[in-house]
Amino acid sequence: MSNKQLDELRDQLDKVNLSLLEQINERARLVKEIGELKREQGIARFDPVRERSMLDLIATNNQGPFETATLQHLFKQIFKASLELQEEDNSKALLV
Amino acid sequence: MSNKQLDELRDQLDKVNLSLLEQINERARLVKEIGELKREQGIARFDPVRERSMLDLIATNNQGPFETATLQHLFKQIFKASLELQEEDNSKALLV
């Protein structure tokens, strides 16, 4: 086993990191759009039923190696950050 | 604005969630492979310099809407979960 192999795996990991970065930001853009739509319709932004259904989707489609509980924990962190992003937008709108 | 629009955005969000799920698991597979390689080479698995360089990569490539600090926090959670996955593998190996 050479360090060339390690370097190659790290290059692959960097590509996955960048792809994750893009997808997480793409997700944030969608959540912002959904938040604006909900504001216009006067619907509450936080929807526990919808959050549950997204967590179920993760459980159903998880092929590992991560345990479903670990993934759901990570996704909850992403949900939380997205909700905070919506709230920031809201505060900014109130200041205008 | 109709609920059809909301449903469409939610469908898109589900697709992004599934793509994130795949990428996070793909990342875990790579990290496991790197962990095995490092074990064979007798290199310490946790490498703070490498972690720093991955966080810098996020900072350099972030185009928003998430703040870099938020993304780095999310990635640290992913790193932590990946490291725990390596450690589990290690404990299992010791039990064999």
Side-chain angles (χ1 to χ4, degrees), chain B residues 10-69:
Chain B
R10 282 177 162 173
D11 281 349
Q12 284 182 49
L13 194 62
D14 280 342
K15 283 196 189 101
V16 174
N17 285 337
L18 288 176
S19 165
L20 274 173
L21 170 64
E22 247 174 59
Q23 296 281 305
I24 291 175
N25 272 329
E26 171 63 20
R27 193 186 184 286
R29 278 187 287 274
L30 282 168
V31 168
K32 278 170 73 123
E33 228 180 302
I34 290 172
E36 280 161 31
L37 198 56
K38 281 181 163 183
R39 190 168 51 217
E40 284 171 15
Q41 297 188 348
I43 307 172
R45 258 179 308 283
F46 176 62
D47 180 347
V49 176
R50 170 70 182 147
E51 183 168 313
R52 188 67 255 165
S53 103
M54 290 194 289
L55 292 173
D56 288 345
L57 189 77
I58 301 304
T60 313
N61 290 276
N62 179 27
Q63 303 196 312
F66 271 131
E67 304 266 344
T68 291

Side-chain angles (χ1 to χ4, degrees), chain A residues 1-3 10 12 14 17 19 23 25 27 29-30 37 40-41 47 50 54 62 64-66, chain B residues 1-3 10 12 14 17 19 23 25 27 29-30 33 37 40-41 47 50 54 62 64 66:
Chain A
M1 294 282 179
S2 67
N3 279 328
R10 284 178 160 173
Q12 284 182 49
D14 279 342
N17 285 337
S19 166
Q23 296 282 305
N25 272 328
R27 193 186 185 285
R29 277 187 288 274
L30 283 169
L37 199 55
E40 284 170 16
Q41 299 189 346
D47 180 349
R50 171 68 182 146
M54 289 193 290
N62 178 28
F66 270 129
Chain B
M1 291 285 178
S2 68
N3 279 328
R10 282 177 162 173
Q12 284 182 49
D14 280 342
N17 285 337
S19 165
Q23 296 281 305
N25 272 329
R27 193 186 184 286
R29 278 187 287 274
L30 282 168
E33 228 180 302
L37 198 56
E40 284 171 15
Q41 297 188 348
D47 180 347
R50 170 70 182 147
M54 290 194 289
N62 179 27
F66 271 131

